[in-house]
Amino acid sequence: GRRHHPPQHRRQRRHSTIVIDDGQPVGGTVSATAGDGTGGELTFAAAGTITPADNVLTTGNDVTFDGPVALTANNAFAGPTVSVVIDGEGGDIEFTDAVNQARNLVLSPGGGSIRVAGPAGATAALSSLTTNGAAEVNGALTTGAQSYNAGLTASGDFGTGGGAFTVTGPLTVARASTITTDGGAFSVSGATTLEADLAVATTAGALGFGGPVTGLHALSLSTSWLLTLGVPVSAGPVTLTAGDLDLVGEGIVLSGT
C-alpha cells in the first residue's frame, strides 16, 4: 500500500509560509510565525485526505486547506472541536474541497473572510459549524447547530439535524439553496438577498427574518411554529406555510404568481 511519511514543513522566507503537504494527521496545535513575529501563512495540501486533529493558529495571514479534509478523532490529541484561528487583522480561511467527520468546526479569521468550497459534512456530518467572519459556504450538513456570526453567502443544501441555523448579519443566496433544521430554529438578523431560489423548512422550529428580504426569486418558508418576516419583502413566487404567521411592518410586496 501507499507509504506515509511524517508531515514536511517548508518555510519560504519571503512569504513566511508553512506548507504541510502530507495527508497524515496533524496532532496538537499547529502555528505559523513569521520572522518579524507577525505570523505566517499556513497551507495544508495532500494528494489524498488532510486530517487535522486539533487547532490551527496563525496571526494576520491566510490558512488554506487545499484538498479534502477529514476532521479525524482517532488519535490522542483529538478533542471534540477543531478551531482554525487567525489572530489580528486580515487573513482568510479557505477549504478548497469537502470537509467531513463528526467534530465541531470553528472558523475565526480575525478581519478576513471564510470560504468553504465544500460541501461540508456531505459524506460524514459535522457535529456543528461556527463561523466568526464573513462566510461563503457551498452547503453544510451537521448534527447540531450552524452559527454564522458575520453573515453568510449560501449555495446548495444545508441541514442541522435538529440544531439551530443562525445568521447574524446578512444572508445572500448565491445559488439555489435549501435549509432544513428538523425542529431547530432558523433566524437571520440582517438583510436577505435572493440571487437564486431559497427554501427553508424547520418542521417545529421558529422561523424568522429580522431584516428585508429582496430578490425576485422563489422563496418557500415552512414551519408548524411561528414564522416572522421583516420588511420590506419583495420576492416571487412566495410560499408561506406556518402555524402562526407574523408579518411585521407597513408594506410587504410579494411579486410573482
Side-chain angles (χ1 to χ4, degrees):
R2 179 183 173 188
R3 296 181 61 189
H4 295 286
H5 303 282
Q8 300 175 9
H9 300 254
R10 298 199 302 242
R11 295 180 184 269
Q12 301 175 2
R13 294 182 181 274
R14 179 177 299 177
H15 300 291
S16 301
T17 300
I18 295 178
V19 178
I20 300 176
D21 58 2
D22 190 273
Q24 292 283 359
V26 178
T29 295
V30 177
S31 62
T33 303
D36 60 3
T38 60
E41 296 177 0
L42 272 171
T43 299
F44 299 82
T49 302
I50 304 163
T51 51
D54 213 319
N55 300 331
V56 177
L57 309 175
T58 188
T59 303
N61 283 289
D62 298 343
V63 177
T64 302
F65 294 86
D66 190 9
V69 172
L71 302 175
T72 184
N74 61 354
N75 62 77
F77 296 99
T81 300
V82 172
S83 295
V84 181
V85 178
I86 302 175
D87 288 331
E89 296 299 322
D92 300 329
I93 298 172
E94 180 174 12
F95 291 79
T96 66
D97 209 316
V99 53
N100 288 286
Q101 299 300 333
R103 304 285 295 283
N104 303 307
L105 181 60
V106 180
L107 306 177
S108 303
S113 61
I114 299 163
R115 180 175 180 267
V116 182
T123 59
L126 306 182
S127 297
S128 66
L129 176 60
T130 302
T131 62
N132 295 313
E136 177 185 346
V137 180
N138 185 25
L141 299 179
T142 58
T143 57
Q146 295 183 31
S147 302
Y148 302 96
N149 294 323
L152 171 66
T153 297
S155 299
D157 296 329
F158 295 78
T160 65
F165 187 101
T166 305
V167 180
T168 302
L171 169 64
T172 299
V173 180
R175 291 194 296 110
S177 298
T178 61
I179 300 172
T180 305
T181 68
D182 294 323
F186 170 95
S187 66
V188 179
S189 68
T192 297
T193 302
L194 302 179
E195 298 177 357
D197 297 348
L198 173 63
V200 180
T202 67
T203 309
L207 193 163
F209 292 84
V213 181
T214 60
L216 297 182
H217 292 273
L219 175 64
S220 175
L221 307 176
S222 177
T223 179
S224 62
W225 202 246
L226 175 65
L227 191 160
T228 303
L229 290 177
V231 299
V233 175
S234 178
V238 176
T239 302
L240 305 177
T241 304
D244 293 293
L245 182 60
D246 186 5
L247 303 180
V248 181
E250 297 179 357
I252 296 177
V253 179
L254 304 180
S255 302
T257 59

